[in-house]
Short mmCIF file of all heavy atoms in Angstrom, two decimals:
data_model
loop_
_atom_site.label_atom_id
_atom_site.label_comp_id
_atom_site.label_asym_id
_atom_site.label_seq_id
_atom_site.Cartn_x
_atom_site.Cartn_y
_atom_site.Cartn_z
N LYS A 74 -1.99 4.61 -20.04
CA LYS A 74 -1.35 5.03 -21.28
C LYS A 74 0.10 4.35 -21.18
O LYS A 74 0.57 3.82 -22.23
CB LYS A 74 -1.26 6.49 -21.39
CG LYS A 74 -0.50 6.99 -22.66
CD LYS A 74 -0.47 8.45 -22.67
CE LYS A 74 0.46 8.98 -23.82
NZ LYS A 74 0.97 10.23 -23.59
N GLU A 75 0.81 4.48 -20.13
CA GLU A 75 2.17 4.02 -20.06
C GLU A 75 2.24 2.52 -20.07
O GLU A 75 3.12 1.93 -20.68
CB GLU A 75 2.90 4.60 -18.78
CG GLU A 75 3.22 6.09 -18.86
CD GLU A 75 4.09 6.40 -20.12
OE1 GLU A 75 5.09 5.65 -20.37
OE2 GLU A 75 3.81 7.33 -20.77
N LEU A 76 1.35 1.85 -19.41
CA LEU A 76 1.35 0.35 -19.45
C LEU A 76 1.04 -0.14 -20.81
O LEU A 76 1.63 -1.08 -21.27
CB LEU A 76 0.31 -0.14 -18.41
CG LEU A 76 0.63 -0.07 -16.95
CD1 LEU A 76 -0.44 -0.51 -16.06
CD2 LEU A 76 1.94 -0.85 -16.56
N ASN A 77 0.10 0.54 -21.51
CA ASN A 77 -0.10 0.17 -22.89
C ASN A 77 1.08 0.42 -23.77
O ASN A 77 1.31 -0.41 -24.62
CB ASN A 77 -1.37 0.99 -23.40
CG ASN A 77 -2.68 0.62 -22.82
OD1 ASN A 77 -2.79 -0.38 -22.12
ND2 ASN A 77 -3.68 1.56 -22.98
N ASN A 78 1.75 1.49 -23.54
CA ASN A 78 2.99 1.79 -24.28
C ASN A 78 3.97 0.71 -24.10
O ASN A 78 4.68 0.24 -25.04
CB ASN A 78 3.55 3.20 -23.95
CG ASN A 78 4.76 3.55 -24.78
OD1 ASN A 78 4.77 3.41 -26.02
ND2 ASN A 78 5.79 3.97 -24.16
N LEU A 79 4.19 0.35 -22.84
CA LEU A 79 5.17 -0.79 -22.59
C LEU A 79 4.65 -2.16 -22.88
O LEU A 79 5.46 -3.06 -22.94
CB LEU A 79 5.44 -0.72 -21.04
CG LEU A 79 6.39 0.20 -20.48
CD1 LEU A 79 6.35 0.28 -19.00
CD2 LEU A 79 7.81 0.01 -21.06
N GLN A 80 3.40 -2.28 -23.29
CA GLN A 80 2.75 -3.64 -23.51
C GLN A 80 3.06 -4.48 -22.24
O GLN A 80 3.55 -5.61 -22.34
CB GLN A 80 3.28 -4.22 -24.75
CG GLN A 80 3.00 -3.39 -25.95
CD GLN A 80 3.63 -3.96 -27.21
OE1 GLN A 80 4.03 -5.06 -27.38
NE2 GLN A 80 3.68 -3.08 -28.25
N TYR A 81 2.73 -3.83 -21.03
CA TYR A 81 3.07 -4.53 -19.75
C TYR A 81 2.01 -5.63 -19.48
O TYR A 81 1.00 -5.31 -18.91
CB TYR A 81 3.18 -3.51 -18.63
CG TYR A 81 3.79 -3.99 -17.40
CD1 TYR A 81 5.21 -3.84 -17.16
CD2 TYR A 81 3.03 -4.72 -16.50
CE1 TYR A 81 5.74 -4.42 -16.05
CE2 TYR A 81 3.65 -5.20 -15.33
CZ TYR A 81 5.05 -5.01 -15.13
OH TYR A 81 5.61 -5.57 -13.97
N GLY A 82 2.26 -6.79 -19.79
CA GLY A 82 1.34 -7.92 -19.58
C GLY A 82 -0.04 -7.58 -20.11
O GLY A 82 -0.27 -7.22 -21.21
N ASN A 83 -1.04 -7.90 -19.19
CA ASN A 83 -2.47 -7.64 -19.66
C ASN A 83 -2.88 -6.20 -19.48
O ASN A 83 -4.02 -5.79 -19.97
CB ASN A 83 -3.46 -8.54 -18.94
CG ASN A 83 -3.50 -8.24 -17.41
OD1 ASN A 83 -2.82 -7.29 -16.94
ND2 ASN A 83 -4.28 -9.02 -16.70
N CYS A 84 -2.02 -5.34 -19.04
CA CYS A 84 -2.26 -3.82 -18.90
C CYS A 84 -3.59 -3.49 -18.14
O CYS A 84 -4.21 -2.48 -18.28
CB CYS A 84 -2.30 -3.21 -20.28
SG CYS A 84 -0.86 -3.37 -21.22
N ASP A 85 -3.96 -4.45 -17.29
CA ASP A 85 -5.26 -4.28 -16.59
C ASP A 85 -5.11 -3.62 -15.12
O ASP A 85 -4.65 -4.20 -14.29
CB ASP A 85 -5.91 -5.72 -16.42
CG ASP A 85 -7.29 -5.64 -15.80
OD1 ASP A 85 -7.78 -4.56 -15.35
OD2 ASP A 85 -7.90 -6.72 -15.66
N ILE A 86 -5.57 -2.34 -15.15
CA ILE A 86 -5.59 -1.65 -13.85
C ILE A 86 -6.95 -1.53 -13.30
O ILE A 86 -7.19 -0.65 -12.40
CB ILE A 86 -4.97 -0.22 -14.05
CG1 ILE A 86 -5.79 0.58 -15.00
CG2 ILE A 86 -3.58 -0.35 -14.62
CD1 ILE A 86 -5.35 2.07 -15.08
N SER A 87 -7.85 -2.36 -13.69
CA SER A 87 -9.26 -2.28 -13.23
C SER A 87 -9.53 -2.43 -11.73
O SER A 87 -10.33 -1.90 -11.20
CB SER A 87 -10.10 -3.35 -13.98
OG SER A 87 -9.69 -4.62 -13.68
N ASP A 88 -8.57 -3.14 -11.06
CA ASP A 88 -8.62 -3.16 -9.61
C ASP A 88 -7.58 -2.18 -9.05
O ASP A 88 -6.73 -2.60 -8.27
CB ASP A 88 -8.33 -4.63 -9.16
CG ASP A 88 -8.58 -4.81 -7.63
OD1 ASP A 88 -9.44 -4.11 -7.12
OD2 ASP A 88 -7.86 -5.66 -7.07
N TRP A 89 -7.87 -0.96 -9.33
CA TRP A 89 -6.93 0.14 -8.92
C TRP A 89 -6.52 0.04 -7.39
O TRP A 89 -5.39 0.26 -7.09
CB TRP A 89 -7.52 1.49 -9.21
CG TRP A 89 -6.66 2.64 -8.94
CD1 TRP A 89 -6.55 3.43 -7.89
CD2 TRP A 89 -5.58 3.14 -9.84
NE1 TRP A 89 -5.67 4.45 -8.02
CE2 TRP A 89 -5.02 4.22 -9.15
CE3 TRP A 89 -5.14 2.73 -11.08
CZ2 TRP A 89 -3.95 4.99 -9.82
CZ3 TRP A 89 -4.05 3.51 -11.69
CH2 TRP A 89 -3.50 4.57 -11.04
N GLU A 90 -7.54 -0.26 -6.56
CA GLU A 90 -7.27 -0.30 -5.15
C GLU A 90 -6.55 -1.62 -4.76
O GLU A 90 -6.09 -1.69 -3.60
CB GLU A 90 -8.59 -0.16 -4.40
CG GLU A 90 -9.21 1.22 -4.63
CD GLU A 90 -8.38 2.43 -4.13
OE1 GLU A 90 -7.68 2.28 -3.04
OE2 GLU A 90 -8.38 3.48 -4.73
N GLY A 91 -6.69 -2.64 -5.54
CA GLY A 91 -6.03 -3.93 -5.16
C GLY A 91 -6.82 -4.77 -4.31
O GLY A 91 -6.37 -5.51 -3.46
N ARG A 92 -8.20 -4.66 -4.32
CA ARG A 92 -8.98 -5.38 -3.44
C ARG A 92 -9.04 -6.94 -3.78
O ARG A 92 -9.48 -7.73 -3.01
CB ARG A 92 -10.41 -4.83 -3.54
CG ARG A 92 -10.49 -3.38 -2.91
CD ARG A 92 -11.96 -2.92 -2.61
NE ARG A 92 -11.81 -1.61 -1.93
CZ ARG A 92 -12.11 -0.47 -2.56
NH1 ARG A 92 -12.42 -0.48 -3.79
NH2 ARG A 92 -12.01 0.59 -1.88
N LEU A 93 -8.70 -7.23 -5.01
CA LEU A 93 -8.51 -8.73 -5.32
C LEU A 93 -7.48 -9.40 -4.55
O LEU A 93 -7.52 -10.61 -4.30
CB LEU A 93 -8.30 -8.88 -6.82
CG LEU A 93 -9.36 -8.44 -7.75
CD1 LEU A 93 -8.94 -8.53 -9.17
CD2 LEU A 93 -10.63 -9.18 -7.53
N ASN A 94 -6.49 -8.65 -4.00
CA ASN A 94 -5.51 -9.25 -3.23
C ASN A 94 -5.96 -9.44 -1.82
O ASN A 94 -6.37 -8.56 -1.05
CB ASN A 94 -4.30 -8.20 -3.06
CG ASN A 94 -3.17 -8.67 -2.26
OD1 ASN A 94 -3.28 -9.60 -1.50
ND2 ASN A 94 -1.99 -8.03 -2.55
N THR A 95 -6.06 -10.74 -1.39
CA THR A 95 -6.73 -11.11 -0.12
C THR A 95 -5.59 -11.21 0.96
O THR A 95 -5.94 -11.47 2.17
CB THR A 95 -7.42 -12.42 -0.17
OG1 THR A 95 -6.44 -13.45 -0.63
CG2 THR A 95 -8.57 -12.34 -1.24
N ASN A 96 -4.43 -10.84 0.72
CA ASN A 96 -3.37 -10.83 1.69
C ASN A 96 -3.32 -9.66 2.59
O ASN A 96 -2.67 -9.75 3.68
CB ASN A 96 -2.00 -11.00 0.98
CG ASN A 96 -1.76 -12.25 0.27
OD1 ASN A 96 -2.03 -13.33 0.86
ND2 ASN A 96 -1.41 -12.19 -0.98
N ASN A 97 -3.92 -8.64 2.15
CA ASN A 97 -3.78 -7.32 2.86
C ASN A 97 -5.00 -6.41 2.60
O ASN A 97 -5.40 -6.28 1.45
CB ASN A 97 -2.49 -6.64 2.52
CG ASN A 97 -1.91 -5.64 3.50
OD1 ASN A 97 -2.72 -4.94 4.10
ND2 ASN A 97 -0.74 -5.75 3.73
N GLN A 98 -5.45 -5.81 3.64
CA GLN A 98 -6.57 -4.81 3.47
C GLN A 98 -6.10 -3.41 3.75
O GLN A 98 -6.89 -2.47 3.54
CB GLN A 98 -7.67 -5.24 4.55
CG GLN A 98 -8.22 -6.61 4.36
CD GLN A 98 -8.77 -6.82 2.95
OE1 GLN A 98 -9.50 -6.01 2.41
NE2 GLN A 98 -8.39 -8.00 2.36
N ASN A 99 -4.86 -3.23 3.96
CA ASN A 99 -4.27 -1.89 4.20
C ASN A 99 -3.99 -1.20 2.83
O ASN A 99 -3.22 -1.67 2.13
CB ASN A 99 -2.96 -1.88 4.98
CG ASN A 99 -2.35 -0.65 5.31
OD1 ASN A 99 -2.69 0.31 4.74
ND2 ASN A 99 -1.48 -0.70 6.26
N ARG A 100 -4.78 -0.15 2.52
CA ARG A 100 -4.57 0.55 1.20
C ARG A 100 -3.19 0.92 0.87
O ARG A 100 -2.86 0.94 -0.26
CB ARG A 100 -5.48 1.72 1.18
CG ARG A 100 -5.54 2.35 -0.22
CD ARG A 100 -6.46 3.54 -0.37
NE ARG A 100 -6.58 4.01 -1.78
CZ ARG A 100 -5.69 4.61 -2.43
NH1 ARG A 100 -4.60 5.04 -1.93
NH2 ARG A 100 -5.89 4.93 -3.69
#
Side-chain angles (χ1 to χ4, degrees):
K74 179 182 172 201
E75 288 303 314
L76 289 175
N77 291 345
N78 181 48
L79 278 171
Q80 298 172 21
Y81 194 94
N83 67 0
C84 300
D85 183 354
I86 64 170
S87 62
D88 186 31
W89 186 260
E90 296 297 324
R92 291 194 177 105
L93 295 173
N94 180 341
T95 59
N96 294 308
N97 203 314
Q98 300 304 311
N99 182 342
R100 186 180 190 279

